[in-house]
Amino acid sequence: MELTIRPVRPGDAEPWHRMRCALYGEPAPERAEIDAWFRDRPDGICLVAEDARGALVGFCEAGTRSYAEGCLSTPVGYVEGIWTEPDVRRHGVAARLLEAAEAWARSRGLVEMASDCTPDNAASLGFHRDRGFQEVEHIVCLRKTLVPEAPAHPQPSGTER
C-alpha cells in the first residue's frame, strides 16, 4: 500500500475531525479542538496517513506528558490517539503512524513512549503489545456528578408576619 505519513495541515481539518469522531465516539469531539491543536500544541504532533489518491486513511496524535504510569523518565512521549480506516487495518498503516510518532519523540530527546486503551479494546491492546508496549497498570477511573446544595433558607424567628 502506497502511503505518505506526514504532519497534519490546516486543510486536513475536516477529514481529521471525521476520523477523531470515529475514534472517540459519543460525545463527538468538538470541531474547535482541531483549530485549537494548530494554536495550542507546541508539545504535540498529529501525523496523518495519506493514500495514493490523496485521501487521509489514518491519524496518530502524540504529545508529551510530565508523567505516565510505569515510565521512569520525564517527560515522556504519549500516544493520545491512533486510528485507521477499517479497510486499511492490518496493512501496517497504524504501525507506520506509530513509528513516525516515536521518531518525533526521539527527535525531542525523549526515551520512553506511553499510551493507553480501554481494558475491553482487545484490538488496541494487541496492537500496542505487538509494537513493544508493556501493560504496566490496570485501573478503573470513576466519576460522580455533584448536585449543588440547596441554598440555606433562613429559619423563621417568630417575629415575621
Side-chain angles (χ1 to χ4, degrees):
M1 169 175 283
E2 185 181 330
L3 284 176
T4 301
I5 306 297
R6 61 171 176 78
V8 71
R9 299 186 289 244
D12 301 325
E14 288 307 318
W16 179 23
H17 183 247
R18 178 188 50 76
M19 292 186 294
R20 289 183 97 237
C21 289
L23 173 62
Y24 296 117
E26 295 295 328
E30 296 289 328
R31 173 60 172 74
E33 292 177 19
I34 298 287
D35 299 328
W37 183 277
F38 291 109
R39 280 191 323 270
D40 305 331
R41 287 302 308 255
D43 65 332
I45 190 166
C46 178
L47 299 156
V48 292
E50 184 177 53
D51 71 10
R53 300 169 294 129
L56 299 188
V57 296
F59 76 96
C60 178
E61 295 172 3
T64 60
R65 290 191 181 184
S66 59
Y67 170 81
E69 288 80 0
C71 290
L72 304 174
S73 63
T74 185
V76 299
Y78 205 92
V79 178
E80 301 291 350
I82 188 166
W83 186 85
T84 60
E85 293 287 352
D87 62 334
V88 301
R89 293 184 184 155
R90 304 227 174 262
H91 289 90
V93 177
R96 289 190 51 199
L97 285 163
L98 180 60
E99 288 167 3
E102 291 171 348
W104 170 84
R106 277 192 298 277
S107 76
R108 298 176 68 86
L110 305 177
V111 297
E112 289 181 288
M113 196 77 167
S115 188
D116 61 61
C117 68
T118 57
D120 63 334
N121 192 338
S124 180
L125 189 54
F127 168 79
H128 283 85
R129 286 181 176 153
D130 289 348
R131 270 126 205 103
F133 285 84
Q134 300 168 334
E135 186 174 341
V136 295
E137 193 167 322
H138 192 95
I139 63 171
V140 175
C141 299
L142 306 162
R143 71 172 292 280
K144 178 180 179 180
T145 300
L146 297 178
V147 178
E149 290 186 25
H153 295 289
Q155 298 296 322
S157 64
T159 59
E160 287 113 18
R161 294 185 191 197

